[in-house]
Amino acid sequence: MMRIAVGGFQHETNTFAPTKADYAAFEQADSWPALQRGEGLVSAFSGMNVPIAGFLDAASGTHTLVPLVWCSATPSAHVTEDAFERVMAMMLEDIAAAGSLDAVYLDLHGAMVTEHFDDGEGEILARVRAAIGRDVPLVASLDLHANVTAAMVAHADALIAYRTYPHVDMAETGARAAEHLFRLVKSGAREAKAMRRLDYLIPLTAQCTLIEPAAHIYGLVAETEGRVTGNGRVSSVSFTTGFPPVDIPECGPVVVAYGETEAAAEEAVNRIADAAREAEADFRETLWSPRDAVAHAIARSAPGRGPVVLADTQDNPGAGGNGDTVGILAELIAQDAQNACLAVLYDPESAARAAEAGEGATVALALGAKTGGAPGEHPLEGAFEVMRVTDGEFLATGPFYGGSRMSLGKTVRLRKGGVQIVVASRKGQCADKEMIRHTGLDPAGLGILVVKSSVHFRADFGPMASEVLVVESPGPNTADLARLPFTRLRKGLRVTPLGEGFGG
Ligand SMILES: [Zn+2]
């Protein structure tokens, strides 16, 4: 029976995004639960696909769990200094009150940048390490989009990352972190670590593990873990493909491994890094203009084929977008698309006005483009029919968000000609059919579906899609990384696969 402290602090920071994450963003529920602290934490994640849920399932019943603070905010620009310091004060207070501990587990993302630190997780792990001392094992799970830093590797005994994008293995990763942590406590031994950086950034949409080259590289990651060579056993291997829109020197993909000996860990990271280096050309992405994508989708859509899905990646709220740009929507209307739907547009003002008008009413709206996320964009003005009004509360059912109780706030489904729009009062990446279906529309019957998502939508919408196009429409999550105004990357890092080296 071990005494294990369990907490988390999750944020994916896009340093080019328009809005910062303040304390309120961490306190409130969104696609994930609100801030948790104290005994309630142990049951708050039950049945959810989140890392801490997998960890708690693996540890509860057999070990004593000491809850720390856990919170997350939707991806955005920097975490405010105030939010970071308030959450860390809670975490350190909870650790101080916990008494003697055998281990600490933290559910982290790995790409947090705060107003005052480039490396949010490096700072979290350093402070927790200072509080618990050198001998208590400290293990963190990480998102596949972590920009793993040297400080993170130094302060944690193990970093264990997801292996899927869409992230269908978040809970499973928490369980793997638990098994690793149990083993560290039982053996009392410290493992050797190795870290290798790749020297190019991988565009988000090309990181998808359902397609090549990521599919075979992650196969190799799984196969390398547990491997025994002349150098000894490799206990854990993680490959984080990185979160590219982050203007810090340590941005980019990293391989981390742990093993019996330094040589075993080194051999493992080299094996994966070599495979990733060989795959560089295959990590380049194809982007469509809104006009071409909509024309192509209209030509290809046919009853019974399943929707042509357009990924509005640059406005993905899961990557710092506000989910309110209207570039593709305007194109759908201009080209008179039929049986088309866009989800989910963030516009609380329009949702409130439409809800007030009521189902069946026609209401004049200036839709979307209110947050300034894409300079030069204007709201789409016109008359919209209100098809459905909901409270935005529902249970997600797909493989990515499955089990989450979603709270999108007042939500409406609008119609203009053959185009429907799901408009919500809170930001949410459209990665679950229920985000559309709860408004009374079955996405499987659509001819064209536009999702504000980069890759996660593929988990639930991929199987029904007749085709997927990645579209370069206005939004702060710049898909073509060569267009981002980076100033602080490390010298020589290629900003796109086979592209030019930064600062060189
Ligand atoms: Zn991620």
PDB file of all heavy atoms in Angstrom, residues 12 109 143-146 162 164-165 167 170 204 207 243 318 400 456, ligand 1:
ATOM      1  N   GLU A  12      -2.249  23.850 -23.043  1.00  0.00           N
ATOM      2  CA  GLU A  12      -1.515  23.827 -24.303  1.00  0.00           C
ATOM      3  C   GLU A  12      -1.500  25.259 -24.801  1.00  0.00           C
ATOM      4  O   GLU A  12      -2.543  25.809 -25.142  1.00  0.00           O
ATOM      5  CB  GLU A  12      -2.232  22.914 -25.289  1.00  0.00           C
ATOM      6  CG  GLU A  12      -1.510  22.760 -26.613  1.00  0.00           C
ATOM      7  CD  GLU A  12      -2.313  21.828 -27.535  1.00  0.00           C
ATOM      8  OE1 GLU A  12      -3.459  22.162 -27.862  1.00  0.00           O
ATOM      9  OE2 GLU A  12      -1.778  20.779 -27.902  1.00  0.00           O
ATOM     10  N   HIS A 109       0.146  18.600 -19.498  1.00  0.00           N
ATOM     11  CA  HIS A 109       0.108  18.599 -20.955  1.00  0.00           C
ATOM     12  C   HIS A 109       1.518  18.563 -21.529  1.00  0.00           C
ATOM     13  O   HIS A 109       1.891  17.673 -22.286  1.00  0.00           O
ATOM     14  CB  HIS A 109      -0.632  19.821 -21.488  1.00  0.00           C
ATOM     15  CG  HIS A 109      -0.718  19.823 -22.977  1.00  0.00           C
ATOM     16  ND1 HIS A 109       0.373  20.062 -23.783  1.00  0.00           N
ATOM     17  CD2 HIS A 109      -1.757  19.564 -23.812  1.00  0.00           C
ATOM     18  CE1 HIS A 109       0.013  19.947 -25.043  1.00  0.00           C
ATOM     19  NE2 HIS A 109      -1.275  19.650 -25.091  1.00  0.00           N
ATOM     20  N   ASP A 143       0.758  15.002 -22.908  1.00  0.00           N
ATOM     21  CA  ASP A 143       0.090  14.979 -24.199  1.00  0.00           C
ATOM     22  C   ASP A 143       1.119  14.660 -25.294  1.00  0.00           C
ATOM     23  O   ASP A 143       2.307  14.941 -25.145  1.00  0.00           O
ATOM     24  CB  ASP A 143      -0.502  16.371 -24.455  1.00  0.00           C
ATOM     25  CG  ASP A 143      -1.529  16.398 -25.560  1.00  0.00           C
ATOM     26  OD1 ASP A 143      -1.130  16.386 -26.744  1.00  0.00           O
ATOM     27  OD2 ASP A 143      -2.723  16.455 -25.241  1.00  0.00           O
ATOM     28  N   LEU A 144       0.639  14.103 -26.390  1.00  0.00           N
ATOM     29  CA  LEU A 144       1.514  13.866 -27.548  1.00  0.00           C
ATOM     30  C   LEU A 144       2.041  15.197 -28.101  1.00  0.00           C
ATOM     31  O   LEU A 144       3.099  15.247 -28.720  1.00  0.00           O
ATOM     32  CB  LEU A 144       0.705  13.105 -28.593  1.00  0.00           C
ATOM     33  CG  LEU A 144       1.297  12.810 -29.956  1.00  0.00           C
ATOM     34  CD1 LEU A 144       0.966  11.380 -30.356  1.00  0.00           C
ATOM     35  CD2 LEU A 144       0.743  13.760 -31.001  1.00  0.00           C
ATOM     36  N   HIS A 145       1.324  16.306 -27.833  1.00  0.00           N
ATOM     37  CA  HIS A 145       1.733  17.628 -28.306  1.00  0.00           C
ATOM     38  C   HIS A 145       2.598  18.380 -27.311  1.00  0.00           C
ATOM     39  O   HIS A 145       2.653  19.606 -27.326  1.00  0.00           O
ATOM     40  CB  HIS A 145       0.499  18.467 -28.633  1.00  0.00           C
ATOM     41  CG  HIS A 145      -0.316  17.880 -29.724  1.00  0.00           C
ATOM     42  ND1 HIS A 145      -1.594  17.427 -29.551  1.00  0.00           N
ATOM     43  CD2 HIS A 145       0.007  17.634 -31.007  1.00  0.00           C
ATOM     44  CE1 HIS A 145      -2.035  16.932 -30.689  1.00  0.00           C
ATOM     45  NE2 HIS A 145      -1.089  17.039 -31.586  1.00  0.00           N
ATOM     46  N   ALA A 146       3.237  17.672 -26.413  1.00  0.00           N
ATOM     47  CA  ALA A 146       4.151  18.334 -25.476  1.00  0.00           C
ATOM     48  C   ALA A 146       5.387  18.815 -26.217  1.00  0.00           C
ATOM     49  O   ALA A 146       5.871  18.139 -27.130  1.00  0.00           O
ATOM     50  CB  ALA A 146       4.544  17.352 -24.377  1.00  0.00           C
ATOM     51  N   TYR A 162       1.092  10.249 -24.508  1.00  0.00           N
ATOM     52  CA  TYR A 162       0.124   9.555 -25.362  1.00  0.00           C
ATOM     53  C   TYR A 162       0.834   9.056 -26.615  1.00  0.00           C
ATOM     54  O   TYR A 162       1.859   9.600 -27.021  1.00  0.00           O
ATOM     55  CB  TYR A 162      -0.994  10.477 -25.864  1.00  0.00           C
ATOM     56  CG  TYR A 162      -1.661  11.388 -24.892  1.00  0.00           C
ATOM     57  CD1 TYR A 162      -2.379  12.493 -25.357  1.00  0.00           C
ATOM     58  CD2 TYR A 162      -1.618  11.162 -23.518  1.00  0.00           C
ATOM     59  CE1 TYR A 162      -3.022  13.361 -24.490  1.00  0.00           C
ATOM     60  CE2 TYR A 162      -2.262  12.039 -22.654  1.00  0.00           C
ATOM     61  CZ  TYR A 162      -2.944  13.132 -23.141  1.00  0.00           C
ATOM     62  OH  TYR A 162      -3.573  13.989 -22.295  1.00  0.00           O
ATOM     63  N   THR A 164      -1.363   8.373 -29.459  1.00  0.00           N
ATOM     64  CA  THR A 164      -2.368   8.484 -30.513  1.00  0.00           C
ATOM     65  C   THR A 164      -2.789   9.934 -30.703  1.00  0.00           C
ATOM     66  O   THR A 164      -2.848  10.712 -29.752  1.00  0.00           O
ATOM     67  CB  THR A 164      -3.643   7.677 -30.173  1.00  0.00           C
ATOM     68  OG1 THR A 164      -4.215   8.187 -28.967  1.00  0.00           O
ATOM     69  CG2 THR A 164      -3.346   6.204 -30.039  1.00  0.00           C
ATOM     70  N   TYR A 165      -3.068  10.290 -31.956  1.00  0.00           N
ATOM     71  CA  TYR A 165      -3.624  11.600 -32.304  1.00  0.00           C
ATOM     72  C   TYR A 165      -4.553  11.356 -33.457  1.00  0.00           C
ATOM     73  O   TYR A 165      -4.086  11.133 -34.565  1.00  0.00           O
ATOM     74  CB  TYR A 165      -2.493  12.544 -32.666  1.00  0.00           C
ATOM     75  CG  TYR A 165      -2.932  13.962 -33.014  1.00  0.00           C
ATOM     76  CD1 TYR A 165      -4.070  14.510 -32.452  1.00  0.00           C
ATOM     77  CD2 TYR A 165      -2.188  14.735 -33.893  1.00  0.00           C
ATOM     78  CE1 TYR A 165      -4.457  15.806 -32.765  1.00  0.00           C
ATOM     79  CE2 TYR A 165      -2.567  16.038 -34.205  1.00  0.00           C
ATOM     80  CZ  TYR A 165      -3.699  16.560 -33.644  1.00  0.00           C
ATOM     81  OH  TYR A 165      -4.079  17.841 -33.945  1.00  0.00           O
ATOM     82  N   HIS A 167      -6.330  11.697 -29.734  1.00  0.00           N
ATOM     83  CA  HIS A 167      -5.889  11.124 -28.463  1.00  0.00           C
ATOM     84  C   HIS A 167      -6.953  10.186 -27.884  1.00  0.00           C
ATOM     85  O   HIS A 167      -7.693  10.556 -26.987  1.00  0.00           O
ATOM     86  CB  HIS A 167      -5.628  12.224 -27.448  1.00  0.00           C
ATOM     87  CG  HIS A 167      -4.656  13.262 -27.900  1.00  0.00           C
ATOM     88  ND1 HIS A 167      -3.606  13.002 -28.734  1.00  0.00           N
ATOM     89  CD2 HIS A 167      -4.558  14.582 -27.586  1.00  0.00           C
ATOM     90  CE1 HIS A 167      -2.906  14.124 -28.927  1.00  0.00           C
ATOM     91  NE2 HIS A 167      -3.477  15.089 -28.258  1.00  0.00           N
ATOM     92  N   MET A 170      -5.770   8.574 -23.842  1.00  0.00           N
ATOM     93  CA  MET A 170      -5.411   9.440 -22.711  1.00  0.00           C
ATOM     94  C   MET A 170      -5.517   8.687 -21.382  1.00  0.00           C
ATOM     95  O   MET A 170      -4.591   8.711 -20.563  1.00  0.00           O
ATOM     96  CB  MET A 170      -6.290  10.691 -22.704  1.00  0.00           C
ATOM     97  CG  MET A 170      -5.966  11.618 -23.864  1.00  0.00           C
ATOM     98  SD  MET A 170      -6.796  13.217 -23.762  1.00  0.00           S
ATOM     99  CE  MET A 170      -8.378  12.831 -24.471  1.00  0.00           C
ATOM    100  N   LEU A 204       0.716  20.219 -37.372  1.00  0.00           N
ATOM    101  CA  LEU A 204      -0.252  19.472 -36.553  1.00  0.00           C
ATOM    102  C   LEU A 204      -1.022  18.416 -37.341  1.00  0.00           C
ATOM    103  O   LEU A 204      -1.135  17.265 -36.917  1.00  0.00           O
ATOM    104  CB  LEU A 204      -1.273  20.441 -35.951  1.00  0.00           C
ATOM    105  CG  LEU A 204      -0.970  21.045 -34.590  1.00  0.00           C
ATOM    106  CD1 LEU A 204      -2.176  21.846 -34.130  1.00  0.00           C
ATOM    107  CD2 LEU A 204      -0.634  19.970 -33.566  1.00  0.00           C
ATOM    108  N   GLN A 207       0.615  15.202 -38.001  1.00  0.00           N
ATOM    109  CA  GLN A 207       1.012  14.382 -36.847  1.00  0.00           C
ATOM    110  C   GLN A 207       0.042  13.236 -36.585  1.00  0.00           C
ATOM    111  O   GLN A 207       0.306  12.380 -35.737  1.00  0.00           O
ATOM    112  CB  GLN A 207       1.077  15.257 -35.587  1.00  0.00           C
ATOM    113  CG  GLN A 207       2.146  16.332 -35.636  1.00  0.00           C
ATOM    114  CD  GLN A 207       2.204  17.141 -34.345  1.00  0.00           C
ATOM    115  OE1 GLN A 207       1.490  16.851 -33.387  1.00  0.00           O
ATOM    116  NE2 GLN A 207       3.051  18.146 -34.309  1.00  0.00           N
ATOM    117  N   PHE A 243       4.063  20.725 -30.124  1.00  0.00           N
ATOM    118  CA  PHE A 243       3.018  21.699 -30.449  1.00  0.00           C
ATOM    119  C   PHE A 243       3.724  22.863 -31.114  1.00  0.00           C
ATOM    120  O   PHE A 243       4.416  23.642 -30.468  1.00  0.00           O
ATOM    121  CB  PHE A 243       2.282  22.121 -29.178  1.00  0.00           C
ATOM    122  CG  PHE A 243       1.059  22.938 -29.454  1.00  0.00           C
ATOM    123  CD1 PHE A 243       0.078  22.458 -30.313  1.00  0.00           C
ATOM    124  CD2 PHE A 243       0.877  24.179 -28.870  1.00  0.00           C
ATOM    125  CE1 PHE A 243      -1.058  23.208 -30.584  1.00  0.00           C
ATOM    126  CE2 PHE A 243      -0.255  24.928 -29.127  1.00  0.00           C
ATOM    127  CZ  PHE A 243      -1.219  24.446 -29.986  1.00  0.00           C
ATOM    128  N   GLY A 318      -8.990  23.758 -30.103  1.00  0.00           N
ATOM    129  CA  GLY A 318      -8.069  22.862 -29.404  1.00  0.00           C
ATOM    130  C   GLY A 318      -6.618  23.247 -29.621  1.00  0.00           C
ATOM    131  O   GLY A 318      -5.719  22.590 -29.117  1.00  0.00           O
ATOM    132  N   PHE A 400     -12.888   9.947 -28.623  1.00  0.00           N
ATOM    133  CA  PHE A 400     -11.980  10.969 -28.082  1.00  0.00           C
ATOM    134  C   PHE A 400     -12.538  11.604 -26.810  1.00  0.00           C
ATOM    135  O   PHE A 400     -11.937  11.528 -25.747  1.00  0.00           O
ATOM    136  CB  PHE A 400     -11.711  12.037 -29.148  1.00  0.00           C
ATOM    137  CG  PHE A 400     -10.893  13.194 -28.658  1.00  0.00           C
ATOM    138  CD1 PHE A 400      -9.581  13.006 -28.240  1.00  0.00           C
ATOM    139  CD2 PHE A 400     -11.425  14.475 -28.598  1.00  0.00           C
ATOM    140  CE1 PHE A 400      -8.827  14.082 -27.770  1.00  0.00           C
ATOM    141  CE2 PHE A 400     -10.666  15.549 -28.141  1.00  0.00           C
ATOM    142  CZ  PHE A 400      -9.369  15.351 -27.727  1.00  0.00           C
ATOM    143  N   HIS A 456      -8.407  15.706 -34.130  1.00  0.00           N
ATOM    144  CA  HIS A 456      -9.199  14.914 -33.170  1.00  0.00           C
ATOM    145  C   HIS A 456     -10.548  14.483 -33.738  1.00  0.00           C
ATOM    146  O   HIS A 456     -11.090  13.458 -33.360  1.00  0.00           O
ATOM    147  CB  HIS A 456      -9.418  15.697 -31.872  1.00  0.00           C
ATOM    148  CG  HIS A 456      -8.187  15.762 -31.028  1.00  0.00           C
ATOM    149  ND1 HIS A 456      -7.353  14.689 -30.844  1.00  0.00           N
ATOM    150  CD2 HIS A 456      -7.641  16.772 -30.310  1.00  0.00           C
ATOM    151  CE1 HIS A 456      -6.344  15.040 -30.063  1.00  0.00           C
ATOM    152  NE2 HIS A 456      -6.493  16.299 -29.728  1.00  0.00           N
TER     153      HIS A 456
HETATM  154 ZN    ZN B   1      -2.818  17.088 -27.904  1.00  0.00          ZN
END
